[in-house]
């Protein structure tokens, strides 16, 4: 189905969950009130989202278009984009300010975000 959920990431300190969908969006859900806060639109399916290190309001998303995006979720805007993959991104992991991504061709890349 086009609206399938690919990943869920709970914020470490806030009552919010980022739900990544294959139909080009991440929905931010208020887990205390059990309602949708906002939707972050993407040009392609989102396979993973992770809260960035010690930031209270930065979410990093991994998209099938090969681009990693850093969002300010309080402003609902993209504050950085990282390119470098030619194939669809399939996974991502964050450790402090390092982002490791893997694509459909088996290429792994490491990016630094601030």
């Amino acid at each position: 189905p086009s609206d399938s959920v690919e990943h869920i990431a709970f914020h470490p300190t806030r009552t919010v969950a980022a739900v990544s969908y294959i139909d080009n969006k991440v929905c931010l859900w208020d887990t205390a009130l059990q309602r949708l806060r906002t939707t972050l639109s993407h040009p392609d399916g989102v396979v993973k989202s992770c809260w960035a290190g010690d930031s209270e309001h930065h979410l990093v998303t991994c998209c099938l278009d090969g681009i990693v995006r850093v969002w300010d979720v309080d402003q609902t805007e993209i504050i950085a984009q990282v390119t470098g993959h030619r194939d669809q991104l399939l996974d991502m992991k964050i450790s402090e300010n390092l982002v490791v991504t893997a694509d459909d061709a088996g290429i792994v890349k490491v990016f630094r975000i601030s």
Side-chain angles (χ1 to χ4, degrees):
S2 65
D3 62 346
S4 72
V5 172
E6 294 295 307
H7 187 258
I8 300 170
F10 287 99
H11 193 282
T13 58
R14 290 181 168 185
T15 58
V16 64
V19 181
S20 303
Y21 293 86
I22 202 66
D23 68 340
N24 310 357
K25 66 186 176 192
V26 173
C27 292
L28 300 179
W29 290 90
D30 186 315
T31 58
L33 300 175
Q34 298 183 2
R35 66 175 177 86
L36 180 65
R37 288 180 56 186
T38 192
T39 299
L40 308 174
S41 296
H42 288 69
D44 209 338
V46 183
V47 295
K48 195 156 190 183
S49 54
C50 299
W51 296 99
D54 59 357
S55 172
E56 281 288 312
H57 53 94
H58 291 162
L59 181 73
V60 183
T61 60
C62 175
C63 196
L64 289 175
D65 67 358
I67 298 174
V68 172
R69 292 172 177 83
V70 181
W71 292 81
D72 180 323
V73 296
D74 292 342
Q75 301 299 317
T76 63
E77 65 184 16
I78 298 168
I79 58 171
Q81 293 190 117
V82 179
T83 59
H85 284 278
R86 293 188 180 142
D87 288 289
Q88 293 181 331
L89 291 175
L90 300 179
D91 200 8
M92 167 184 71
K93 190 72 174 172
I94 296 179
S95 177
E96 296 181 18
N97 65 341
L98 293 179
V99 178
V100 179
T101 55
D103 70 22
D104 196 34
I107 305 296
V108 174
K109 295 190 180 258
V110 179
F111 302 100
R112 184 174 302 278
I113 57 172
S114 55

